Amino acid sequence: MRDKLRVASIHGQINQMVNGFTTSSNSGHQTKIPSEDFQAPVVSGLSMGSGEYFVRVSVGTPPKSMYLVLDTGSDILWLQCAPCTNCYHQTDAVFDPSKSSTYSSLGCNNKICLNLDVNGCQANKCLYQVDYGDGSFTTGEFATDAITLNSASGGGQVILSKIPLGCGHDNEGYFVGAAGLLGLGKGPLSFPSQVDPQNGGRFSYCLTDRDSDSSERSTLVFGDAAVSSSGARFTPQVNNPRVSTFYYLKMTGISVGGTLLTIPNSAFQLDSMGNGGVIIDSGTSVTRLQNSAYAALRDAFRAGTTSLAPTAGFSLFDTCFDLSGLASVDVPTVTLHFQGGTDLRLPAENYLIPVDNSNTFCLAFAGTTGPSIIGNIQQQGYRVIYDNVRNQVGFVPSQCD
């Protein structure tokens, strides 16, 4: 349910932007670029009730550790703050800004405040609100504070000062587990843009098996270390001049069982009005493909699995199988092709997933009328590199160690 609403929210944000709403291209805020690379642990949120992935960071002075949703589909860093008007249940204690010596409110005329999509003012303190289109929202005071992460070179910590963040006192909707959200989008207020304002930042992550618990960790890495993985294959980012937040890629095709599918060129194209295209998103679980592309994938996959026992669909999945009594199965390979000859060949566990305790497995794709979205199920086990200096995204298999 949460995943379906998130996709609707992404489509809603894009529709709003392509129909005339635009964001500023400059936050007007100068943050000193760190002299060394830094990183933070990444875990699956499934054991805490979420289909998203969480990153472990520390906020304030003294630093308080907490989980934040790792989200490339939004820009604002926010967390729940005391006192709460409405706060959902989170794993860690709610952050109290009055106990942080580095917490600082922003004035209403501060350029950062004026750059917010939705802002307000009370007692000359900047107020923010973020609506996610699924009915979820966060609202409170917009401020700055220190963020502490681990050095990527091993040992020690890196303290980032005066990072803009939302201190949410009213947070309602489909949030669960994490204390808030780390916005990794391309907008001027996103965390990567703040720590490297001239270049928009460079970062990478590897998403572990979503069924793993919080003891199985990978890393979210920033700086040169994020783009230094050997064997990375890159594809250019595609600019959508009407939408600043999302990472668009040019998908050129899909193969099933080694055969390139016949899919209309228009299925993956970003048009002149900013509609369509293909987004890669860490917060969406199930990959959505434009309906004609999904139909071609589904039909080819079904044709290659006639030896398996089909069963009724489950939730948004329409291609499911009863694998009871089978120790292993052979299924067609699925490969996503991108501009520049970059191929994302998916392991079977990234597209045929269990959906219940009765050995029902489903093809983990779905159709959509909006832009296609590559979700986190398909990204499992790959280190995904966002190189915003060279405006490209890279993939390295088996890099979660």
Side-chain angles (χ1 to χ4, degrees), residues 116-341:
L116 291 166
D117 290 344
V118 179
N119 63 43
C121 184
Q122 186 175 53
N124 198 33
K125 290 184 178 180
C126 179
L127 304 179
Y128 81 98
Q129 180 168 321
V130 179
D131 297 289
Y132 289 97
D134 59 2
S136 301
F137 66 88
T138 174
T139 183
E141 183 179 307
F142 210 63
T144 64
D145 208 340
I147 304 293
T148 302
L149 301 103
N150 300 321
S151 170
S153 60
Q157 294 181 317
V158 175
I159 300 175
L160 308 174
S161 61
K162 297 182 179 180
I163 298 297
L165 53 82
C167 201
H169 301 292
D170 189 357
N171 316 286
E172 302 179 44
Y174 293 91
F175 308 119
V176 61
L181 186 146
L182 181 65
L184 298 173
K186 295 186 70 174
L189 285 178
S190 75
F191 186 73
S193 295
Q194 290 300 313
V195 298
D196 190 357
Q198 299 304 314
N199 300 309
R202 292 166 295 174
F203 65 94
S204 70
Y205 58 71
C206 194
L207 306 181
T208 58
D209 183 341
R210 65 196 303 266
D211 292 318
S212 62
D213 60 30
S214 59
S215 65
E216 185 174 337
R217 299 184 171 191
S218 182
T219 52
L220 168 66
V221 182
F222 293 87
D224 290 341
V227 298
S228 62
S229 297
S230 62
R233 296 294 302 273
F234 288 92
T235 186
Q237 295 180 27
V238 178
N239 179 49
N240 186 340
R242 293 177 178 265
V243 180
S244 63
T245 297
F246 303 111
Y247 294 91
Y248 284 84
L249 306 178
K250 183 174 178 57
M251 187 183 290
T252 57
I254 301 174
S255 292
V256 174
T259 300
L260 186 65
L261 304 179
T262 300
I263 299 172
N265 290 333
S266 60
F268 303 129
Q269 284 183 348
L270 181 68
D271 69 24
S272 60
M273 296 301 295
N275 296 300
V278 179
I279 295 167
I280 183 167
D281 179 41
S282 66
T284 299
S285 295
V286 177
T287 290
R288 295 337 196 258
L289 297 173
Q290 194 271 345
N291 281 328
S292 63
Y294 173 68
L297 168 65
R298 176 199 60 206
D299 293 349
F301 192 80
R302 287 177 176 175
T305 52
T306 54
S307 62
L308 303 181
T311 189
F314 182 91
S315 184
L316 75 166
F317 303 129
D318 63 8
T319 301
C320 300
F321 307 92
D322 181 0
L323 303 186
S324 299
L326 300 176
S328 63
V329 296
D330 290 324
V331 295
T333 57
V334 175
T335 304
L336 308 181
H337 304 290
F338 297 93
Q339 183 179 8

Side-chain angles (χ1 to χ4, degrees), residues 6 52 69-75 132 181-185 281-283:
R6 178 183 175 85
E52 297 161 313
V69 174
L70 188 159
D71 190 1
T72 60
S74 62
D75 292 326
Y132 289 97
L181 186 146
L182 181 65
L184 298 173
D281 179 41
S282 66

Side-chain angles (χ1 to χ4, degrees), residues 370-389:
S372 297
I373 304 172
I374 302 168
N376 61 42
I377 291 176
Q378 280 65 40
Q379 297 177 50
Q380 291 175 107
Y382 279 88
R383 180 156 293 277
V384 184
I385 302 169
Y386 294 78
D387 183 350
N388 294 324
V389 176

Side-chain angles (χ1 to χ4, degrees), residues 61-62 81-83 94-104 141 145 167 169:
T61 307
C81 286
V94 173
F95 181 74
D96 186 347
S98 69
K99 296 181 179 179
S100 173
S101 63
T102 46
Y103 181 87
S104 178
E141 183 179 307
D145 208 340
C167 201
H169 301 292

